[in-house]
Amino acid sequence: MAHAENETTISRSPEDVYAFLADGLNNPKWRSGIQHITLKSGSPGALGTVYSQTLTGPGGRPIAGDYEITTADPGQRLCFQVVAGPARPSGEYHLSAAPGGTKVRFTLDLQPKGLMKIAGPMIARTMQTEVAQLTNLKSVLEAA
């Protein structure tokens, strides 16, 4: 299994951080590599909501990365499952109150199957890059 994890503390309340993360339309503000994202079904932050997104893949080619919210616990936990595209990791944002703000832990997990196993090291690097973008989230939310 490929696993990536990162953590940061943001000088905003857990409710503010959750609300920003739960609305996938905010993703381009802090995650590089998103070419396009739309709300496909549901309401921002609601269980079962699906976002359709196009990501920049290897060689700059567009790849699908649609995801569904699988856990919605406002101010505490937001989980998702990628439901389209070549790699389909699950992810979790775990939020907890910290002195002066919110501690955010972002994890991604993927169980590669078939030919995906060959690309394991590249997938692991991509996942590490993705969770490292928490520093961008911190910058965006603290500037607001």
Side-chain angles (χ1 to χ4, degrees):
M1 177 185 299
H3 175 81
E5 185 172 326
N6 194 14
E7 189 173 282
T8 192
T9 300
I10 299 174
S11 296
R12 297 286 294 270
S13 72
E15 294 75 21
D16 286 349
V17 175
Y18 180 90
F20 187 86
L21 288 170
D23 184 352
L25 299 179
N26 287 324
N27 287 350
K29 296 176 183 175
W30 69 279
R31 291 180 51 219
S32 65
I34 296 181
Q35 295 179 0
H36 183 72
I37 187 165
T38 59
L39 177 62
K40 189 173 182 178
S41 65
S43 304
L47 187 65
T49 294
V50 176
Y51 286 92
S52 177
Q53 65 180 355
T54 303
L55 308 170
T56 302
R61 77 177 205 288
I63 58 171
D66 300 5
Y67 70 93
E68 178 179 356
I69 294 177
T70 57
T71 301
D73 189 1
Q76 297 180 31
R77 198 165 152 233
L78 181 69
C79 301
F80 63 90
Q81 175 67 52
V82 175
V83 295
R88 299 190 180 189
S90 60
E92 176 179 348
Y93 299 100
H94 183 267
L95 311 175
S96 57
T102 302
K103 185 165 102 176
V104 181
R105 186 176 73 240
F106 179 20
T107 60
L108 286 172
D109 290 296
L110 175 68
Q111 183 65 51
K113 296 176 180 150
L115 292 175
M116 256 322 187
K117 291 180 182 178
I118 296 169
M122 181 183 76
I123 292 168
R125 281 192 304 276
T126 300
M127 289 170 55
Q128 286 295 342
T129 299
E130 189 66 31
V131 298
Q133 292 188 76
L134 273 183
T135 57
N136 299 341
L137 177 67
K138 177 179 174 68
S139 296
V140 167
L141 284 174
E142 290 182 354

